[in-house]
Amino acid sequence: MDNVIRQRTLGARIARVSLYAVLILAALFYLLPLVVMLITSVKPLAEITPGTLLSLPREPTLTPWIKAWGEACTGMRCEGVGGYFYNSIAIVVPAVLISTLIGALNGYALTKWRFKGSELVFALMLFGCFIPFQVVLLPMAQTLGWLGLSTSRVGLILVHVVFGIAFTTLFFRNFYVAVPTELVSAAKLDGAGFLRIFWRILLPVSAPIIVVSVIWQFTQIWNDFLFGVAFSAHNSQPVTVALNNLVNTSTGAREYNVDMAAAMIAALPTLIVYVLAGKYFVRGLTAGSVKG
Amino acid sequence: MSLSRCAAKPAAATGSRRSPSGLLQAWLPKLVLAPSIAISLFFVYGFMLWTFILSLTGSRMLPSYDFVGFAQYARLMANDRWWVASSNLVIFGGLFVAICLALGLLLAILLDQRIRQEGALRTVYLYPMALSFIVTGVVWKWLLNPGLGIQAMVRGWGFENFRFDWLVDPDMAVYTLVIAAVWQASGFVMALFLAGLRGIDDSILKAAQLDGASLPSIYWRVVIPCLRPVVFSAVMILSHIAIKSFDLVVALTGGGPGYASDLPATFMYAHAFTRAQIGLGSASAMLMLGGVLAILVPYLYSELRNHRHG
């Protein structure tokens, strides 16, 4: 939008300066917690005293990080969050890949092979994006029990796939709607089949939406706490649950630096993804909410 | 399960006039969709029904099917903790949505003034959205900790009487949730509004400028009304986040002090999973679903109408 009146009056200059002042102030508000988290996580415990929230560490140390990774107590065990970090990876990677693949095929079938009722099918599935998960928790717990998957990683993967495909289908469906149908129709006339058309025509242009879907699912599942806390035990707990346990473990003296280091460890994967691929992250967030 | 039934019905109509391989091709799209449809029917719709049935039973530790009618809902209505949780949701949700909208709109308008380093600022405003609510809760718990956090810092600057101990104040704890949630989500609202602003047709604005309208009145009279659809979506998404808020409460206040900052999501979890009140927990989950539906139905309606045209 180009409606800035570019006058060189004193008033305009003051307005410009205060504009930047407000924007920078806002940036500080958003940055403050991250900065505090980071500097606290490299301070020795002795330097954490009232009033030193923002002061830089005098003797920076990585001990809190090492402790958070391998020794800190999360409930009854004192093995740090490292093992739970691996749990998260072991849950996230298959869940993201499977839900993205299913979403891509669903979106393709719903847009390029429309049939009577396909819009209804889409509406039916879309609803899954919106339910409060509290409403499925108890039946899910029982179903996982019947399947022999309670408190296992496979069970959590299943849960994340089941409740992720609504989103991935939405992404791919809205993306494939915009891909010209002529190409697909021509290929159909040439006798190309369902999977061949997907492989040769749709998949090669799908890179951006695959990235959006993978990033969205990765962030959602990595950051999940509700399913993690409800359906897991020690051998399958994700890092968010371990972090919460670590912070709320009341044995011994509070080690705030270790808490902050553990929070950084839990936050880093999604932060890195955001910094590397912020554009696609935003696109996933806004998919389906802003049109055009 | 319902896989074959879902796939067979529509396929029979189109498949009959094709060759065997054509028959397979006509089946394939539906065959591909069938598992997802089955999953949706069972895990979403079936589970909602299941939870509803549980809410009509006297289930405690384990699900049992001794029906008690709507007694659990009556118990819920008589439960003080549920009322605290519900009114907290109104306070938290209302403030969270309103502040996010105001802050997001302000930042978007300011960022839209040909700012140097716009990309960097945008990145900074939005990054909290990538974090887990657990991380957000842990960090803000540390910042709001009266003994070592912001209160202690400001006192250290010489303001000895400065008080900012909302985290341990039963009347104020719910507002700490608002602070942390606004911090996390307002950048996202900014991104929504910025995208909306960039989509407004320049010629409308030029015309308003030629008419001699001042910049604030252009924004107030022309630009903001154009953003109505964005406001609509943002309100949907934010209220949805508010109703589902669980992790943030667990990590930041633990629902405390006492149960002063409980929300329906934490109430449900506490009763269904730790207090052996499955029936009561299910009833509260159904009321949460009702709340979401009340917001969602108008949204989905407009969404699907647009899809049909698109």
Side-chain angles (χ1 to χ4, degrees):
Chain A
M1 201 171 43
D2 186 20
N3 60 327
V4 187
I5 305 164
R6 308 211 121 210
Q7 289 167 319
R8 291 276 170 250
T9 62
L10 184 64
R13 217 171 293 163
I14 291 173
R16 202 82 191 143
V17 169
S18 33
L19 174 67
Y20 276 96
V22 173
L23 286 172
I24 290 168
L25 217 64
L28 290 179
F29 166 67
Y30 289 109
L31 277 178
L32 175 82
L34 184 64
V35 170
V36 168
M37 179 160 59
L38 197 60
I39 57 182
T40 308
S41 76
V42 291
K43 272 183 196 173
L45 199 57
E47 283 188 36
I48 300 177
T49 52
T52 57
L53 195 61
L54 285 176
S55 36
L56 291 173
R58 268 164 307 190
E59 289 167 41
T61 164
L62 280 179
T63 321
W65 283 70
I66 295 163
K67 210 165 172 195
W69 181 264
E71 298 158 32
C73 297
T74 54
M76 305 296 276
R77 292 165 194 269
C78 296
E79 301 162 350
V81 298
Y84 305 99
F85 192 90
Y86 287 127
N87 279 346
S88 275
I89 293 176
I91 294 163
V92 166
V93 172
V96 167
L97 295 181
I98 297 170
S99 58
T100 298
L101 178 70
I102 296 178
L105 286 170
N106 283 348
Y108 165 57
L110 283 170
T111 52
K112 301 303 168 208
W113 297 80
R114 283 172 194 250
F115 51 89
K116 202 159 175 278
S118 59
E119 286 292 297
L120 182 72
V121 167
F122 177 57
L124 192 86
M125 290 177 59
L126 190 62
F127 187 65
C129 295
F130 299 99
I131 55 165
F133 290 135
Q134 277 75 18
V135 89
V136 299
L137 278 186
L138 287 164
M140 196 75 214
Q142 187 139 42
T143 306
L144 286 176
W146 286 338
L147 294 173
L149 295 174
S150 357
T151 74
S152 74
R153 288 181 196 163
V154 178
L156 275 174
I157 294 170
L158 175 78
V159 175
H160 285 299
V161 168
V162 159
F163 295 106
I165 52 178
F167 290 95
T168 55
T169 302
L170 172 71
F171 292 147
F172 281 96
R173 187 232 177 246
N174 286 357
F175 184 81
Y176 287 150
V177 149
V179 174
T181 308
E182 288 77 18
L183 269 175
V184 178
S185 308
K188 278 184 199 170
L189 282 180
D190 284 348
F194 180 82
L195 288 174
R196 195 179 161 81
I197 293 176
F198 179 67
W199 189 254
R200 286 292 179 83
I201 299 179
L202 274 301
L203 212 53
V205 299
S206 303
I209 199 65
I210 292 175
V211 177
V212 167
S213 171
V214 165
I215 290 180
W216 169 268
Q217 283 297 90
F218 175 79
T219 325
Q220 289 299 303
I221 302 172
W222 187 274
N223 289 343
D224 163 71
F225 177 74
L226 181 61
F227 290 143
V229 75
F231 305 135
S232 71
H234 160 71
N235 62 336
S236 59
Q237 256 165 10
V239 68
T240 47
V241 177
L243 170 62
N244 188 56
N245 289 343
L246 184 149
V247 173
N248 290 317
T249 298
S250 46
T251 44
R254 275 281 12 58
E255 293 182 291
Y256 293 104
N257 49 359
V258 177
D259 291 358
M260 292 300 123
M264 283 300 300
I265 291 171
L268 269 179
T270 49
L271 266 185
I272 290 170
V273 166
Y274 169 66
V275 169
L276 292 182
K279 191 177 77 179
Y280 295 99
F281 176 72
V282 178
R283 228 188 272 175
L285 281 173
T286 55
S289 54
V290 179
K291 296 258 156 35
Chain B
M1 185 189 356
S2 52
L3 184 144
S4 55
R5 193 181 63 214
C6 290
K9 238 168 139 189
T14 49
S16 54
R17 54 178 187 274
R18 305 253 180 106
S19 64
S21 77
L23 191 79
L24 178 70
Q25 287 306 323
W27 270 61
L28 253 177
K30 289 146 206 156
L31 216 57
V32 163
L33 280 169
S36 300
I37 297 171
I39 282 173
S40 182
L41 287 177
F42 180 67
F43 287 94
V44 176
Y45 296 91
F47 279 11
M48 286 188 325
L49 185 68
W50 192 344
T51 302
F52 177 63
I53 292 171
L54 281 176
S55 78
L56 301 177
T57 69
S59 308
R60 294 181 63 89
M61 260 291 267
L62 294 165
S64 69
Y65 295 92
D66 53 323
F67 287 93
V68 295
F70 287 87
Q72 300 288 9
Y73 293 87
R75 276 181 70 204
L76 202 56
M77 290 302 123
N79 187 317
D80 178 53
R81 185 171 171 181
W82 171 254
W83 285 110
V84 171
S86 308
S87 52
N88 275 344
L89 178 60
V90 173
I91 298 172
F92 167 72
L95 284 174
F96 167 64
V97 172
I99 299 175
C100 276
L101 283 180
L103 195 60
L105 181 62
L106 176 76
L107 290 177
I109 289 177
L110 295 183
L111 262 189
D112 199 31
Q113 309 297 322
R114 296 167 166 226
I115 293 299
R116 254 177 269 170
Q117 296 298 323
E118 186 205 305
L121 284 169
R122 242 180 13 212
T123 306
V124 168
Y125 294 168
L126 192 61
Y127 86 88
M129 201 63 186
L131 300 180
S132 154
F133 268 116
I134 295 292
V135 172
T136 302
V138 167
V139 176
W140 280 95
K141 190 178 186 170
W142 166 240
L143 287 171
L144 297 171
N145 173 335
L148 291 162
I150 294 173
Q151 173 176 294
M153 184 180 72
V154 176
R155 284 189 180 174
W157 291 342
F159 303 94
E160 295 292 339
N161 295 320
F162 179 78
R163 271 191 64 175
F164 191 43
D165 55 358
W166 293 2
L167 198 60
V168 293
D169 180 346
D171 293 329
M172 302 302 285
V174 65
Y175 299 100
T176 63
L177 299 175
V178 176
I179 297 176
V182 164
W183 175 78
Q184 174 135 354
S186 49
F188 164 56
V189 182
M190 178 279 303
L192 285 180
F193 276 123
L194 198 59
L197 285 172
R198 299 272 148 91
I200 293 176
D201 189 358
D202 277 354
S203 56
I204 308 173
L205 302 169
K206 292 264 164 53
Q209 271 184 13
L210 286 178
D211 283 348
S214 68
L215 199 55
S217 86
I218 291 179
Y219 270 104
W220 189 246
R221 300 254 174 99
V222 184
V223 176
I224 293 177
C226 283
L227 293 175
R228 266 204 12 215
V230 185
V231 175
F232 193 59
S233 320
V235 170
M236 294 305 137
I237 298 169
L238 292 173
S239 29
H240 197 240
I241 294 178
I243 294 176
K244 295 213 291 194
S245 282
F246 171 72
D247 359 12
L248 183 63
V249 185
V250 170
L252 182 57
T253 67
Y259 51 80
S261 61
D262 241 355
L263 289 182
T266 50
F267 178 96
M268 184 275 164
Y269 189 85
H271 284 79
F273 285 84
T274 53
R275 294 169 66 106
Q277 293 283 350
I278 284 184
L280 195 66
S282 305
S284 65
M286 288 315 291
L287 291 191
M288 288 179 64
L289 178 67
V292 170
L293 284 181
I295 300 168
L296 187 64
V297 167
Y299 179 62
L300 268 194
Y301 178 73
S302 72
E303 187 88 344
L304 288 172
R305 205 180 43 189
N306 289 346
H307 275 307
R308 224 155 261 155
H309 294 308

